[in-house]
Amino acid sequence: MSHHNKLLQFFNCRILRNSAIIKEDLWVRNGKIINPEKVFFDEKVQAHERYDCKNAIISPGFIELQINGGYGVDFSYDVDTVEQGVSKVAKELLKHGVTSFCPTVVTNSKDVYAKVLPKIKKAPGGKHGATVLGVHLEGPFINVEKKGAHPPECILELTEGFKTLQDTYGCLDNVSIVTLAPEKQNANEVIRELNKRKIIISLGHSMGALSHGEEAVRNGATFITHLFNAMLPFHHRDPGLVGLLASSEIPKGVTVYYGIISDGVHTHPAALRIAYRTHPDGVVLVTDAISPMGLEEGVHRIGKMTVEIRNHQAYVLGTNTLCGSITPMDECIKFFKKATNCGNVFALEAASLHPARCMGIDQTKGKLDFGCDADLVFLDDDLNVLATYIAGECVYRAN
């Protein structure tokens, strides 16, 4: 019998289900979490394999919606080897509990999109690495005044609306998220077209007022890219995109999600607390990690820029401009928990359930409900990753 068809029972564990950590066994078959009652009463069979979890917490696998690379790989720069690069990062992410991710490509030239986008295909995870949910395209339709580390010469206007976007990116089949600035001319037409194609629209790298954000949300935008970073700071007369967290103009039934980098560098702990207390349902932990994540301090490349790692932080060479994080997801979860005092349940859901809901995949991922994918992270009480499973198969074990 193949491992896939075996009935697996995980016992002596605490599982995260329905926003609580409960003492209960977890049963898995064919890569899915199953209801043991049907097994006992209908099939009358025993588990083929039983695993003593030694009182570990089992969380849904972490879902990463914004990662530019890591371990020496840059998805926007290593154009000719991008498939191998995605595979390498997918494998390395397993040790941090990440079971699904969106490789992120920053502002670039049309030629680079033409080469890279067809090569980064949506793909299921396994021992080879985390599931690829599709590409997050961050730019080039952003505001040059909030470019951050994006190359200004590649930033574009949406001159002919959606036609410009299609001409720039080419085929959108492998794309899951697009970050754009909502104040751009023709942005709302583009948002509506992307929404029709089930692509998540994220607002960021923007000088937009709150009214720009609200109109974008009415047209189908549901996400904010790295809240507080590369946008207007909160102002009491016009709170900008940050104001979406407390806007009364959000359509009924719509949740605005926001990526937030809780690495201790990009977002002050007080800012993390403000966001969490204002709009907890929208929190999505992202790393915004760049190629030097997992590498030693020194000078490295990201996109068309040279980056210096010093004191565990990444700067555009010769400046004090932050250009991305080098803190992995499991560390971001710990820092968020400490900064907000939110507890294990919320911290884990902010990296699993919330991103799954944001992506519209919470029927299969981000939860440990019956019928969901058995993408699991085993953790101790300090939220250190002990093991990672994808579709019920162990793909990483510490030590």
Side-chain angles (χ1 to χ4, degrees):
M1 180 182 289
S2 76
H3 176 84
H4 207 61
N5 296 324
K6 284 179 180 173
L7 180 62
L8 312 178
Q9 179 188 6
F10 298 92
F11 68 97
N12 190 15
C13 53
R14 293 167 289 156
I15 68 174
L16 173 55
R17 182 179 282 161
N18 297 329
S19 298
I21 292 175
I22 56 174
K23 189 84 177 172
E24 191 169 302
D25 292 0
L26 192 73
W27 295 74
V28 171
R29 184 167 57 191
N30 295 326
K32 301 279 186 185
I33 296 163
I34 64 163
N35 184 346
E37 285 190 16
K38 292 182 179 175
V39 172
F40 297 147
F41 297 114
D42 298 349
E43 300 177 39
K44 298 182 173 59
V45 294
Q46 300 291 316
H48 295 107
E49 293 176 12
R50 299 178 78 239
Y51 298 96
D52 182 349
C53 302
K54 299 181 171 62
N55 204 37
I57 296 168
I58 304 181
S59 165
F62 306 145
I63 300 171
E64 166 72 276
L65 301 188
Q66 187 178 8
I67 175 167
N68 308 289
Y71 316 98
V73 172
D74 188 298
F75 304 137
S76 305
Y77 182 73
D78 303 326
V79 176
D80 296 326
T81 57
V82 73
E83 288 154 301
Q84 297 96 302
V86 169
S87 296
K88 180 174 185 181
V89 172
K91 179 74 173 171
E92 294 285 352
L93 288 176
L94 300 175
K95 69 173 75 130
H96 302 295
V98 175
T99 54
S100 301
F101 73 115
C102 289
T104 303
V105 176
V106 299
T107 295
N108 232 308
S109 68
K110 188 174 171 178
D111 292 346
V112 169
Y113 294 125
K115 285 181 183 173
V116 167
L117 290 185
K119 293 180 181 175
I120 308 180
K121 293 183 165 60
K122 297 174 185 177
K127 283 216 152 156
H128 57 277
T131 297
V132 179
L133 294 173
V135 180
H136 179 165
L137 290 172
E138 188 185 359
F141 306 107
I142 58 174
N143 196 312
V144 71
E145 291 184 57
K146 289 291 179 184
K147 68 183 188 303
H150 291 233
E153 69 277 8
C154 293
I155 291 172
L156 297 178
E157 298 302 317
L158 289 160
T159 313
E160 295 183 77
F162 192 68
K163 181 179 183 300
T164 301
L165 181 138
Q166 281 191 305
D167 289 348
T168 304
Y169 293 148
C171 181
L172 295 171
D173 289 354
N174 297 333
V175 177
S176 287
I177 306 174
V178 171
T179 291
L180 52 77
E183 69 273 20
K184 288 264 184 189
Q185 190 176 0
N186 299 322
N188 287 299
E189 176 227 321
V190 167
I191 289 168
R192 288 191 297 273
E193 289 298 323
L194 289 170
N195 196 34
K196 280 182 201 167
R197 289 159 175 78
K198 302 283 190 284
I199 292 171
I200 305 299
I201 302 98
S202 191
L203 309 177
H205 287 277
S206 166
M207 295 285 287
L210 175 57
S211 58
H212 291 120
E214 289 170 338
E215 189 175 358
V217 171
R218 283 193 292 272
N219 281 286
T222 54
F223 196 36
I224 304 171
T225 295
H226 45 49
L227 186 76
F228 299 120
N229 287 277
M231 60 186 62
L232 287 173
F234 180 87
H235 189 279
H236 57 284
R237 290 202 186 93
D238 189 338
L241 296 185
V242 177
L244 289 171
L245 274 64
S247 171
S248 61
E249 298 298 312
I250 305 303
K252 195 171 169 57
V254 172
T255 300
V256 175
Y257 295 93
Y258 55 93
I260 198 158
I261 309 168
S262 60
D263 62 351
V265 180
H266 280 73
T267 315
H268 191 280
L272 293 175
R273 288 190 286 275
I274 287 168
Y276 164 63
R277 292 173 189 173
T278 304
H279 182 35
D281 290 349
V283 177
V284 173
L285 299 185
V286 297
T287 64
D288 194 22
I290 58 171
S291 59
M293 180 174 73
L295 302 181
E296 70 286 351
E297 303 222 337
V299 176
H300 305 272
R301 291 285 303 195
I302 173 172
K304 299 188 174 183
M305 292 194 169
T306 307
V307 178
E308 183 184 9
I309 305 298
R310 58 179 193 268
N311 303 323
H312 307 291
Q313 299 171 23
Y315 299 93
V316 177
L317 186 64
T319 75
N320 287 318
T321 302
L322 289 166
C323 59
S325 171
I326 52 174
T327 306
M329 180 61 83
D330 51 337
E331 295 299 322
C332 288
I333 292 168
K334 291 178 202 172
F335 189 86
F336 185 83
K337 178 193 166 187
K338 182 182 174 188
T340 62
N341 201 27
C342 67
N344 284 347
V345 169
F346 189 92
L348 294 170
E349 288 191 336
S352 55
L353 177 61
H354 294 191
R357 283 178 174 163
C358 176
M359 294 292 288
I361 56 173
D362 55 310
Q363 292 308 303
T364 54
K365 297 194 184 292
K367 296 189 288 198
L368 300 184
D369 291 356
F370 303 141
C372 287
D373 294 344
D375 294 353
L376 318 170
V377 190
F378 290 64
L379 307 120
D380 63 20
D381 284 344
D382 295 323
L383 303 186
N384 298 307
V385 174
L386 305 174
T388 306
Y389 282 69
I390 291 180
E393 181 182 23
C394 185
V395 294
Y396 167 77
R397 194 176 295 282
N399 305 321

